Amino acid sequence: MVLSFIFGSVLGIVRYSKIPYLSKIIGFIIDVIRNLPLLLIIFFVYFGLPAFGFKPDTIPAAILAMTVFESMMIAEIIRSGIMAVDIGQMEASRAMGMTFTQAMWHVVLPQAYKKMIPALVSQFISLIKDTSLATIIVVPELMQHGQVVYGQDPNYIIPVFVAMALMYFVVCYALSLLSKYIDHRMA
């Protein structure tokens, strides 16, 4: 989450900034990756990158794939959040003598992040649930551990699935409650 938030913020700001050529190239890459399934990206990182001489272990491969995918999703949330801030805020900041970077950092981004909280939390909840996809490359995460347990005795399959569902629910619901609390405090 932290890595994808950092990279997504940078990419979203660059895409918004309309830097000649760079913004368009980044926009194209964001659009391509956002429209691919995460499972395909996980497969590419784990099975495809070795063809280019880079062979990540399972956990770094899953982290890299999810960071790339989520960064692109967050970049679009950041870009749209910045666009939701009235353009007059940037113009007024620039008229007061601030550089683009100062205006973005001190005026626009604080307002934009406040507007983005629900979308960002929703994306982070999706990321938490998407970690189950990493089981496909044998990353030892919750789903993989559940498979080990019910693989020992098939009678445990329903209780294991119920326990896993409860664990995902508790984490995701806690994150959504935190989002509501932050949103309420910033209102």
Side-chain angles (χ1 to χ4, degrees):
M1 280 195 261
V2 172
L3 291 173
S4 58
F5 181 73
I6 292 167
F7 294 130
S9 293
V10 170
L11 292 171
I13 292 168
V14 169
R15 186 165 185 194
Y16 170 81
S17 301
K18 304 220 181 344
I19 299 169
Y21 302 110
L22 182 62
S23 293
K24 289 200 183 284
I25 292 168
I26 288 176
F28 177 75
I29 293 168
I30 289 171
D31 288 340
V32 168
I33 293 175
R34 280 182 56 231
N35 288 295
L36 295 174
L38 176 56
L39 188 59
L40 180 66
I41 295 169
I42 292 171
F43 276 142
F44 177 78
V45 169
Y46 189 68
F47 297 113
L49 288 183
F52 298 103
F54 180 65
K55 173 71 171 113
D57 288 333
T58 55
I59 293 175
I63 291 171
L64 177 62
M66 289 183 190
T67 299
V68 167
F69 183 76
E70 290 299 317
S71 294
M72 302 309 152
M73 301 301 235
I74 289 172
E76 277 302 292
I77 293 171
I78 301 294
R79 184 186 65 81
S80 63
I82 293 170
M83 291 176 68
V85 175
D86 186 59
I87 190 71
Q89 298 290 318
M90 177 62 84
E91 292 170 352
S93 302
R94 296 297 303 251
M96 290 176 48
M98 290 184 172
T99 65
F100 176 83
T101 305
Q102 289 172 328
M104 185 63 73
W105 184 256
H106 296 292
V107 178
V108 176
L109 283 178
Q111 295 176 60
Y113 280 124
K114 189 170 144 182
K115 294 177 184 207
M116 292 182 252
I117 289 172
L120 286 172
V121 170
S122 177
Q123 193 60 43
F124 289 145
I125 289 171
S126 291
L127 173 61
I128 290 168
K129 292 186 285 186
D130 287 346
T131 59
S132 64
L133 294 174
T135 195
I136 202 74
I137 59 171
V138 196
V139 171
E141 53 77 59
L142 185 61
M143 287 296 288
Q144 200 264 346
H145 289 297
Q147 289 172 343
V148 169
V149 171
Y150 69 73
Q152 300 294 320
D153 186 353
N155 293 328
Y156 290 136
I157 195 164
I158 298 298
V160 167
F161 280 139
V162 169
M164 288 187 303
L166 285 172
M167 288 181 215
Y168 277 115
F169 174 78
V170 166
V171 171
C172 293
Y173 189 67
L175 195 54
S176 67
L177 289 177
L178 178 64
S179 166
K180 288 178 184 174
Y181 174 76
I182 292 170
D183 198 30
H184 177 71
R185 295 279 298 160
M186 295 181 89

